[in-house]
Amino acid sequence: SKVKAEFVNIKWDDVIGLKEAKIEAWEVVELLKDRTLTERIGGKILRGILLTGPPGCGKTYLAKAIATEAGIPFIPVSGSEFVEIFVGVGPSRVRKLFKQARQLAQMHGAAIIFIDEIDAVGTERKTDLGFGARTEANNTVNQLLVEMDGIQEKGSNVIVIGATNAPETSLDQALLRPGRFDRKIYVDLPTLEDRTQLFAHYLKKIAHDETIEVGKLARRAVWKSPADIENIIKEAALIAARHKRERVTDKDIIEALERVDLGFKHHRRLTPDEKKRVAYHEAGHLITTYFLHPTDDVFKASIISRRDALGMVFHQPREEIFTSSRDRILANVKVALGGYAAEKLKFESTSDGVAQDFRNAMSQA
């Protein structure tokens, strides 16, 4: 079912933390607004935009903002809606969808079809193994290819926006050629500046302590997506409510971050000797990280059990790092063996807790 642009109502300023993607997407909005000028010059209107990137980074949100700003109708569908066991159903749904979009485009000048999780419908065509399902999927892809850039009446300005977090290579090559998905926009994880804006935005929606430092939280949340950040703030609100507090404090947000990263606390009853051994083991990791690691900071050391671990040292880079130097990898090996070294020095023997550490060190090596 179609959604009018005014009902989508996601303004451009509502899209926070996607600086690079927004620059590219704004070009698309301007092309849609000035489509008559584009056609007068002799250019062709964009046929398709492919939004790719990790989950929870705002691909659907950006598509809604494009529809709102361009002021044209928006038809959202999911890729899985076309996948059907019955022969011919997938292609017929594609035909109906584009027919509806073309009718709207004639009335409003243009229309957007948004296909979420397009990898479900646009996968590469392969030979059928004899059960018919692959042929049906191939036919659905074929129909999508024809509709996007086939024999159509002129003036049907239908723009297809596809979103996927699967690798681009999983889509059929014919979909990725010019004339189909002309424009590819990578919606990546937010930067430090983006995360600062996101934390400030989501904190406005809850009653919170004014002393909370947004910049500190942004540095602590390296590699977190906008969806993760929203979830952390919601989790912090639940923790504050559980403790009968009127406002969310810094402590609530840190606890929410730990719960997301490390899992729930288990109140296992360890013997005093076990507690001591775990404490020394974790201290070994902590000291090695603190003194020898070139890029990571220690954020938390604990001997409270979480998931399968009896204790943990949570460390992460001070900022996003996309490559690992030899020094960094060797430091990771040293940190992994720090717990073993601490146990050996203090108790002259080690526990089976070092087994996973050795596996980590080996994988780094």
Side-chain angles (χ1 to χ4, degrees):
S1 61
K2 74 155 173 121
V3 181
K4 285 185 179 174
E6 59 268 27
F7 294 141
V8 177
N9 204 26
I10 305 287
K11 299 282 191 297
W12 205 246
D13 293 339
D14 296 338
V15 182
I16 297 164
L18 302 175
K19 194 193 277 181
E20 301 288 323
K22 275 178 79 174
I23 292 167
E24 291 198 47
W26 187 249
E27 284 183 28
V28 173
V29 171
E30 289 190 319
L31 281 169
L32 293 175
K33 281 181 171 175
D34 299 338
R35 50 189 176 269
T36 48
L37 176 66
T38 309
E39 284 162 0
R40 211 163 47 239
I41 294 168
K44 274 180 80 175
I45 193 163
L46 282 171
R47 282 274 165 260
I49 303 147
L50 185 66
L51 304 175
T52 66
C57 285
K59 295 184 287 293
T60 307
Y61 209 67
L62 191 59
K64 287 177 179 176
I66 291 170
T68 306
E69 291 294 333
I72 54 179
F74 179 79
I75 308 174
V77 291
S78 163
S80 59
E81 287 178 36
F82 303 102
V83 182
E84 193 63 80
I85 194 168
F86 303 109
V87 174
V89 172
S92 91
R93 281 187 185 157
V94 173
R95 281 193 295 275
K96 276 181 193 167
L97 176 68
F98 277 84
K99 187 180 178 183
Q100 185 193 1
R102 277 196 284 272
Q103 286 168 349
L104 287 169
Q106 281 165 357
M107 287 158 58
H108 300 274
I112 289 176
I113 293 173
F114 175 63
I115 306 176
D116 207 359
E117 312 303 346
I118 196 168
D119 50 290
V121 66
T123 47
E124 200 169 353
R125 289 164 290 177
K126 293 182 181 135
T127 310
D128 203 303
L129 298 174
F131 297 101
R134 190 65 247 177
T135 301
E136 172 64 3
N138 289 349
N139 289 343
T140 308
V141 178
N142 289 338
Q143 190 65 51
L144 186 59
L145 295 173
V146 170
E147 294 290 348
M148 279 190 78
D149 189 24
I151 305 161
Q152 303 167 356
E153 63 266 35
K154 284 192 173 179
S156 60
N157 289 333
V158 175
I159 301 98
V160 182
I161 302 180
T164 177
N165 44 51
E168 197 184 301
T169 48
S170 67
L171 295 176
D172 195 276
Q173 286 306 299
L175 268 178
L176 300 174
R177 75 152 172 81
R180 299 230 169 87
F181 283 110
D182 309 89
R183 186 68 58 98
K184 296 176 187 73
I185 299 175
Y186 193 72
V187 183
D188 205 354
L189 290 164
T191 60
L192 178 64
E193 187 189 333
D194 294 335
R195 289 195 302 276
T196 307
Q197 289 176 2
L198 284 159
F199 270 111
H201 172 73
Y202 286 116
L203 278 169
K204 279 180 198 164
K205 299 186 176 190
I206 59 166
H208 67 281
D209 201 325
E210 297 302 322
T211 58
I212 291 173
E213 285 182 54
V214 177
K216 182 180 161 190
L217 292 175
R219 285 193 297 278
R220 171 71 176 72
V222 174
W223 301 123
K224 294 279 181 287
S225 71
D228 290 329
I229 291 169
E230 183 184 14
N231 185 38
I232 287 159
I233 298 298
K234 284 179 177 173
E235 187 71 44
L238 292 176
I239 292 165
R242 198 175 303 127
H243 290 103
K244 304 284 187 287
R245 279 196 283 272
E246 293 289 322
R247 292 176 170 273
V248 168
T249 64
D250 207 24
K251 189 180 172 187
D252 297 321
I253 296 177
I254 294 299
E255 194 178 327
L257 266 160
E258 286 168 10
R259 190 172 286 185
V260 168
D261 284 329
L262 310 168
F264 282 98
K265 294 175 182 176
H266 297 303
H267 295 286
R268 290 192 178 112
R269 295 184 69 87
L270 302 181
T271 65
D273 285 347
E274 277 184 309
K275 268 188 186 172
K276 192 174 180 183
R277 188 179 281 275
V278 172
Y280 272 91
H281 179 103
E282 298 307 333
H285 289 312
L286 187 152
I287 291 165
T288 319
T289 308
Y290 186 79
F291 286 109
L292 300 179
H293 211 294
T295 60
D296 287 23
D297 278 339
V298 176
F299 280 98
K300 177 91 174 182
S302 168
I303 58 165
I304 294 169
S305 302
R306 288 176 187 269
R307 295 197 182 114
D308 299 333
L310 296 177
M312 41 107 312
V313 170
F314 183 67
H315 64 96
Q316 66 177 40
R318 292 170 205 113
E319 57 190 341
E320 283 87 352
I321 293 173
F322 298 96
T323 58
S324 277
S325 65
R326 176 189 162 90
D327 289 347
R328 185 164 186 249
I329 295 166
L330 281 174
N332 285 339
V333 172
K334 289 171 190 172
V335 169
L337 300 178
Y340 167 83
E343 282 192 45
K344 195 86 171 162
L345 284 167
K346 177 66 185 173
F347 304 105
E348 295 182 354
S349 68
T350 59
S351 65
D352 58 359
V354 302
Q356 185 58 45
D357 293 338
F358 269 92
R359 279 194 284 274
N360 290 342
M362 279 302 293
S363 70
Q364 291 282 340

